[in-house]
Amino acid sequence: MLNTLSIKKRLIILLLCPFLLLTLLIGDRVSESVSMLDQLNKLKSRIELLTESLQLNSLLHSLRVSKLSASNVSNEDNLGIFTSSISKLKVLAPQALQDDSNAIELLSDLEGVEEELIYLSAEDVNDWSSWIADSTSQLLLMLEKDHLAIDDKEIESDLEVLYQLQWLYFWANEENWYINLIVRDIGGDAKVLLPSIVERQQLFIERFIAISADNKQVSLLQSTFSDKAFIDSYALRNLIQNGHFKARGGNYDISALDKRLALISQVVSNVGSNLSIKIRAKVAEAKMHVVVYSIFITALLFCASYLGWMLIQRILDN
């Protein structure tokens, strides 16, 4: 085919090909940066979703413990916040997940669950609570399995650390709840299930260390675990597990459990906030790359068009 072209046309093609190739290469870099920006925005929404999920679990615990202590829900404001939290999760799920269909269905099933609590007896709260807790754990599992291509080892490592801490909070929350049931002598299988919940917490602590959490994160967790609230809560747990606990007639202070849960929540929030700062910096960097590459490719096309046209004019004039 080239044999049928004139020398002038061949020269024109030879002049245009390098410019075209360079344009394609730069365009590919722009495409990569845009894709990275999309993944980072999803990750940003994911951190917001994890934060809201933590809030939902905290509200769940407040509502269920309040219901054990009173015939009606003592804090109606928490019911409104609980409803709002589920709505926020539904909004964030499509932004945080690449495949959000299961998450939306899961969260849709939770709409209106807070209204049921009003009519439940203290003995029935555990079934209601278990359903919601199971849904939040499924949501966390979906997030873990929905891998985002970030291509930043530090951010990926911090995200894994955050997942382990979210799981640690979840199971610490469940332990707190089961001990509340045991102390009030409600829920016959709570004492049987307690050891497995303790084991799961230990598992996620070990995972936290195994995934190479940085020294600052490890120190933060160690200083948190050295708090007196952890020592007191462990003592109560051991009392239950060793068979020396008496639900009736005993006067047990379980406030250490709530303080321990609040301390774990602070660690999760701290790690999440630091990760959000890193993500924002990475988003700014990705946006800058998109702008720089776009400007460069525009300038290159303009220069290539101008120089190419001048050269073509010379060739055609000759």
Side-chain angles (χ1 to χ4, degrees):
M1 182 178 176
L2 287 173
N3 292 331
T4 62
L5 296 175
S6 66
I7 294 175
K8 290 182 179 180
K9 289 182 179 179
R10 291 182 192 180
L11 288 172
I12 291 170
I13 292 172
L14 287 173
L15 285 170
L16 292 178
C17 280
F19 291 120
L20 181 60
L21 181 60
L22 189 56
T23 301
L24 290 173
L25 289 173
I26 297 172
D28 185 59
R29 292 293 297 170
V30 171
S31 177
E32 283 182 15
S33 296
V34 170
S35 177
M36 173 63 75
L37 191 57
D38 178 63
Q39 293 287 289
L40 286 168
N41 284 328
K42 278 195 176 296
L43 182 56
K44 186 179 175 183
S45 297
R46 183 165 298 191
I47 303 303
E48 292 176 18
L49 190 147
L50 287 168
T51 302
E52 194 61 46
S53 178
L54 189 76
Q55 168 78 351
L56 184 70
N57 275 311
S58 177
L59 287 167
L60 168 64
H61 188 64
S62 297
L63 289 171
R64 61 191 179 184
V65 171
S66 295
K67 188 64 178 180
L68 287 184
S69 307
S71 58
N72 55 6
V73 180
S74 57
N75 192 342
E76 292 188 4
D77 289 340
N78 278 350
L79 286 174
I81 299 171
F82 190 86
T83 304
S84 175
S85 184
I86 293 174
S87 298
K88 287 178 183 176
L89 287 173
K90 277 194 71 177
V91 171
L92 287 168
Q95 301 169 18
L97 286 156
Q98 296 175 110
D99 181 9
D100 64 310
S101 55
N102 291 331
I104 294 296
E105 183 180 351
L106 184 75
L107 293 168
S108 296
D109 289 341
L110 290 180
E111 290 182 325
V113 291
E114 70 284 350
E115 298 172 5
E116 299 175 13
L117 181 62
I118 300 171
Y119 307 102
L120 293 176
S121 64
E123 290 75 15
D124 295 327
V125 175
N126 188 39
D127 290 335
W128 175 86
S129 166
S130 296
W131 170 35
I132 300 171
D134 182 61
S135 296
T136 58
S137 69
Q138 285 185 52
L139 180 61
L140 183 52
L141 196 59
M142 287 177 194
L143 290 170
E144 271 196 296
K145 290 181 176 180
D146 191 73
H147 180 71
L148 296 174
I150 303 302
D151 194 28
D152 186 301
K153 296 298 182 185
E154 186 178 358
I155 288 179
E156 288 177 350
S157 177
D158 285 353
L159 182 59
E160 283 301 314
V161 166
L162 184 58
Y163 283 142
Q164 307 318 309
L165 291 174
Q166 286 273 351
W167 280 117
L168 177 61
Y169 177 85
F170 174 83
W171 289 114
N173 200 359
E174 290 302 286
E175 180 192 352
N176 188 318
W177 169 240
Y178 277 97
I179 290 177
N180 268 279
L181 291 175
I182 293 167
V183 167
R184 291 172 172 82
D185 199 20
I186 301 173
D189 59 347
K191 192 173 180 180
V192 177
L193 294 171
L194 188 60
S196 65
I197 292 174
V198 173
E199 287 174 6
R200 285 170 180 171
Q201 289 178 71
Q202 185 60 38
L203 170 66
F204 288 109
I205 292 172
E206 290 171 0
R207 284 188 183 177
F208 170 84
I209 297 169
I211 58 178
S212 301
D214 63 40
N215 293 332
K216 187 177 179 181
Q217 293 167 345
V218 173
S219 297
L220 180 62
L221 196 62
Q222 285 177 337
S223 63
T224 301
F225 277 22
S226 63
D227 191 276
K228 188 176 182 297
F230 278 79
I231 299 169
D232 293 343
S233 62
Y234 290 156
L236 178 58
R237 176 209 289 170
N238 290 334
L239 197 66
I240 294 171
Q241 291 184 309
N242 294 335
H244 301 304
F245 176 85
K246 294 181 180 179
R248 299 185 184 278
N251 184 21
Y252 300 102
D253 181 16
I254 60 174
S255 60
L257 292 170
D258 292 331
K259 187 177 179 183
R260 171 176 171 253
L261 198 60
L263 288 169
I264 296 174
S265 178
Q266 286 176 13
V267 173
V268 179
S269 298
N270 186 294
V271 172
S273 297
N274 289 335
L275 180 54
S276 293
I277 292 170
K278 292 178 183 178
I279 292 169
R280 284 197 293 271
K282 194 74 176 176
V283 166
E285 182 184 333
K287 285 182 177 178
M288 184 186 69
H289 285 167
V290 171
V291 171
V292 169
Y293 285 138
S294 297
I295 292 172
F296 186 72
I297 197 171
T298 302
L300 180 65
L301 285 171
F302 177 79
C303 292
S305 298
Y306 176 76
L307 292 174
W309 176 253
M310 295 298 293
L311 287 170
I312 290 168
Q313 285 293 101
R314 287 191 177 187
I315 292 169
L316 292 177
D317 289 342
N318 294 329

